[in-house]
Structures are given as structure tokens and as C-alpha cells.
Amino acid sequence: AKEHVTPVFIGECSQLLYENVKKGFIAHDLREALTWITSHKSGILLFSPGCSSFDMFRNYCHRGEAFMEEIEH
């Protein structure tokens, strides 16, 4: 069976990325993105930044820590 993929975008480039992919969901922040993902029960989560996220995080370590904090709840 072919897997269904729905990208979820956050950050300052989210609108641009969404317009290029032509599908998905734009979330205001990481928490909203993970809430949306959890409510749609996709089963697999690939956390893959598509560009820098300095508008939301200090660096990639901070981004990873924020992600881990959110999924541990």
C-alpha cells in the first residue's frame, strides 16, 4: 500500500514551502504542529527541517531539545 504523506510546516518559510508543495498544514509553532500530527494518527513522524529555523530556535540543538520536550508530554 502506498503511504500517505502530509507535510506540516512551521516557521518563517512555512508559507513558501506550502506553496511549493501544494498540500499540507501550516502550524504557528512546534506545539501546534505536533498536536495536529497526533490528532491525525499518521503513525510515522519524520522531523526534517526544510530550512533554517532561527526565527524560532537559537540553533539546531535548541530545535532538537524543543522537539524532544514536546513529544515526551
Side-chain angles (χ1 to χ4, degrees):
K2 190 172 186 172
E3 295 294 322
H4 177 73
V5 177
T6 303
V8 178
F9 305 102
I10 61 173
E12 65 185 352
C13 294
S14 58
Q15 186 65 40
L16 176 64
L17 292 170
Y18 176 84
E19 289 171 6
N20 281 287
V21 175
K22 305 274 192 267
K23 70 176 189 174
F25 175 73
I26 297 175
H28 292 97
D29 57 24
L30 182 58
R31 178 168 287 157
E32 182 182 17
L34 291 172
T35 298
W36 188 91
I37 291 164
T38 302
S39 70
H40 287 79
K41 310 275 188 219
S42 67
I44 298 172
L45 171 61
L46 173 62
F47 184 60
S48 179
C51 61
S52 66
S53 55
F54 294 117
D55 61 312
M56 302 177 80
F57 307 102
R58 292 185 304 275
N59 54 41
Y60 73 94
C61 293
H62 180 226
R63 180 175 58 207
E65 290 166 359
F67 177 76
M68 291 303 292
E69 285 178 21
E70 289 296 329
I71 63 168
E72 288 175 351
H73 287 108

